[in-house]
Amino acid sequence: MSAHHPAAPVGGKLFNLPVMICGLLIAAMFAVLFVRFIFGLGAVTNLNDGYPWGIWVVVDVVIGSAFACGGFSVAMLVYIFNRGHYHPLVRPALLASLFGYTLAGVGVLFDLGRWWNFWHILWPGYANPNSVMFEVAVCISAYITVMWIEFSPVFMEQWGLKVQKQKLEKVLFFFIALGTLLPMMHQSSLGTMLVVMGPQVNPLWQTPIVPLLYLLSAITIGYGIVLFESCIAASAYRREIEMHLLQPMAKIMLGVLAAFLAVRFGDLVVRGALGHALKPSLEAFFFWLEMACFVAPYFIVGTAGARRNPARLFVAGCSIMLGGILLRINGFLIGYDTGLGVDHGWNYFPSIAELLVTLGMFALEVLGYIIITRRFPVLPREGAAH
Amino acid sequence: MTSRRNFLRSCLAGGAAAASAVLPETACARDTLVRPPEGLGLLYDATLCVGCQACVAACKQANENPAEFTAMDKLWDTPLDTSGHTFNLIKMYRNGTMETKDSELNGFSFMKTSCMHCADPSCVSACPVSAMTKDPVTGVVGYDPDACIGCRYCVAACPFGIPKYQYDSPTGKIGKCELCRHRHKDGHYSACAEVCPTGATLFGRTEDLLAEAKRRLAVKPGEWTTIPRGRLPAKGETPEQAAQWKGLVDQSYQAKVGNYLQHVYGETEYGGTQVLKLSAVNFQKAGLPDLPPKSSAATSETIQHTLYGGLIMPLAVLAGLTWVAKRNVVPEDDEASKNQKGGQS
Ligand code: SF4
Ligand code: SF4
Ligand code: SF4
């Protein structure tokens, strides 16, 4: 393994503009949630019987957790494929994942109509192991715990708990293995959640191999988000971008992306579903948009020269993230239709209140990231990473 | 090092292959479930239905559901669709001048909307906390609000759009027809069938109802035949068994047979449903989905069990990952000494 660059707190003031904006957004979220818990889901959301799941489930949980795959994608690179030189990317990526998942877990509660029963899902007397959602819930809960364990050396370092840290590091490899397996399991299962909905999901997104599609796309999104985060963190903290790491990582990302695209198209051809993409419909339009976002990175960072340009890496990361968003929104919302002949006429578009909650959750993530990176050793020490 | 890579690669490849597998033929494959032999259900015959909505009112009463007002004057219960407070609704197919009943062209027809009590219900497979369950004997798909977490996966999963959530309440429940199972112990069968004046909604054992449906399909359209009302006595039913149910045994009357499509809806759809339907108007046009004989629950659970059955595959992958990670994770304090040894990549 190559040498690790020690991480260090970024330091600096905690009260600044971004933090205040986050604070405002979070306050707005709590106001909406107050109304939601007093008057019910109908009071603040546009959910209805034709669209029982809206952006709280699809964006906050399904997309949010895929965005939190940076930690898993990088950890896999470092510890499983033994690419130790990516090590400086591990902590920041893990931190973002930690927040993404923890908040996705909390966010589910807002959407549960009978939230006080939430523990049933982990209780043997109630659990239904045939349910894909049961599997997702168990894996995500376990993964959140594992990630806090994986991340805890950061706190131990800051608080000088040397002995505990050494003890933990002896067994950390097991948690890292678990922390690679669990997201693989539930990211694929997030896709499998569509299967039981049968013909209500457009054939462009309803396929028995949906677990593999969601898994591969989650891994690519993981790398995309690392590109995105590294560029943002570098510009926000006026630090140098870790180009020597991001360049080769972008190449790996393109490789996984190619596997994803091969499976995506192969599946459509084998099932004969490609015809649905040629109809003049909203679904077909969004399908091609999704495809465009997944293919664009080859044009943006396809050459070694292009990958030396940080702006291009950033845009490529965004493009992949957008593709991942679309794959999920398309499956769960655009391509979902109760479609019962005379029943037609259900519509869904998120209300302002729903959007405020999603924004508030996002603000919480950003706020947490800022506070922890400024006060705890997460990002590599400036000047050491060369 | 190379062997480690290869090991890992085959690990991942194994996982990927299984994930991608459209593996209905493996040991983990789960077939579409069939109706329990003694399963109870309803037979709805659209050609007999006169659209009086008596069943809708009876269903409201039997389930203590409030009226839903959508008209300005709030004179009576006018739900626009089934909902968390309306478990049964008679909907209408309309075309052109609407002159002829049970005609697709310039005609109209009715269709009952309520739970189909599927043999292999998507809602039961989806529910993470076993709040939706299928009774092994009666096959009734019941709901337990005390178990339910309100995730609404059942709502999203049901191909008939049946379970509905009460969005207007902070403690909203799922509402759906449970075949009036709470009335069975007092000898009352489904309220909708009990009040139906024409026998368009008939209660009984699904197998008997299916035989009755086929009998009607076999009669020439326009010919007179006997139509039972209320409850269809089970084949070979003893007097004791009959006494289990309240109400007149024989309410049958003579009626002309409709011009049916030769299809009992629910006989094979998704492995069959316990509520069966007859119609003279195309079922899709009347609002029922076109479903294959294989249930989505079977596909979903096959994938699920192939990947996680007995946790064999996850544990195998975990073992592989742990083995690899143990070699690659270097405690940070003695990483300097290890640097010399493993310097690859
Ligand atoms: S019709 Fe829907 S709610 Fe009723 S049993 Fe079938 S899947 Fe469940
Ligand atoms: S809403 Fe309730 S009954 Fe429906 S799937 Fe969720 S927990 Fe089960
Ligand atoms: S069986 Fe009972 S609950 Fe179901 S539709 Fe008929 S009256 Fe309503």
Side-chain angles (χ1 to χ4, degrees), chain B residues 42 55 58-59 62-63 87-88 112 114 177-180 190-193:
Chain B
L42 302 170
C55 57
C59 179
N63 292 288
F87 305 165
N88 173 34
K112 186 180 189 318
S114 58
C177 156
E178 299 178 54
L179 211 71
C180 285
S190 298
C192 52

Side-chain angles (χ1 to χ4, degrees), chain B residues 114-118 120-124 132 141 154 157-163 176-177 273:
Chain B
S114 58
C115 176
M116 301 290 285
H117 296 279
C118 308
D120 194 354
S122 303
C123 59
V124 171
M132 287 286 174
V141 175
C154 54
C158 170
F160 301 100
I162 291 305
K176 83 178 253 310
C177 156
T273 58

Side-chain angles (χ1 to χ4, degrees), chain A residues 271-345:
Chain A
R271 281 187 303 115
L274 215 48
H276 292 268
L278 304 174
K279 290 180 190 158
S281 64
L282 186 73
E283 286 87 350
F285 172 76
F286 273 89
F287 169 79
W288 288 112
L289 206 59
E290 173 195 322
M291 282 301 128
C293 291
F294 279 126
V295 172
Y298 291 100
F299 294 96
I300 305 171
V301 292
T303 64
R307 281 195 292 277
R308 275 195 281 278
N309 181 338
R312 279 176 173 258
L313 287 180
F314 177 77
V315 176
C318 291
S319 177
I320 291 231
M321 286 158 61
L322 207 59
I325 293 181
L326 282 168
L327 174 67
R328 285 155 178 80
I329 287 197
N330 284 346
F332 282 89
L333 287 173
I334 311 261
Y336 176 80
D337 189 350
T338 27
L340 300 177
V342 292
D343 268 337
H344 248 311

Side-chain angles (χ1 to χ4, degrees), chain B residues 152-226:
Chain B
R152 310 185 300 286
Y153 194 13
C154 54
V155 183
C158 170
F160 301 100
I162 291 305
K164 300 275 163 90
Y165 176 74
Q166 298 165 349
Y167 292 97
D168 54 348
S169 155
T171 58
K173 297 176 193 165
I174 294 289
K176 83 178 253 310
C177 156
E178 299 178 54
L179 211 71
C180 285
R181 61 173 178 156
H182 61 294
R183 292 161 40 97
H184 292 182
K185 55 182 175 304
D186 309 326
H188 285 291
Y189 50 87
S190 298
C192 52
E194 212 173 56
V195 300
C196 181
T198 65
T201 298
L202 185 66
F203 175 87
R205 264 181 29 177
T206 304
E207 288 319 307
D208 303 320
L209 296 170
L210 183 59
E212 168 67 12
K214 295 228 161 127
R215 182 185 72 83
R216 290 183 203 178
L217 291 188
V219 182
K220 263 222 328 262
E223 267 180 20
W224 291 87
T225 190
T226 305

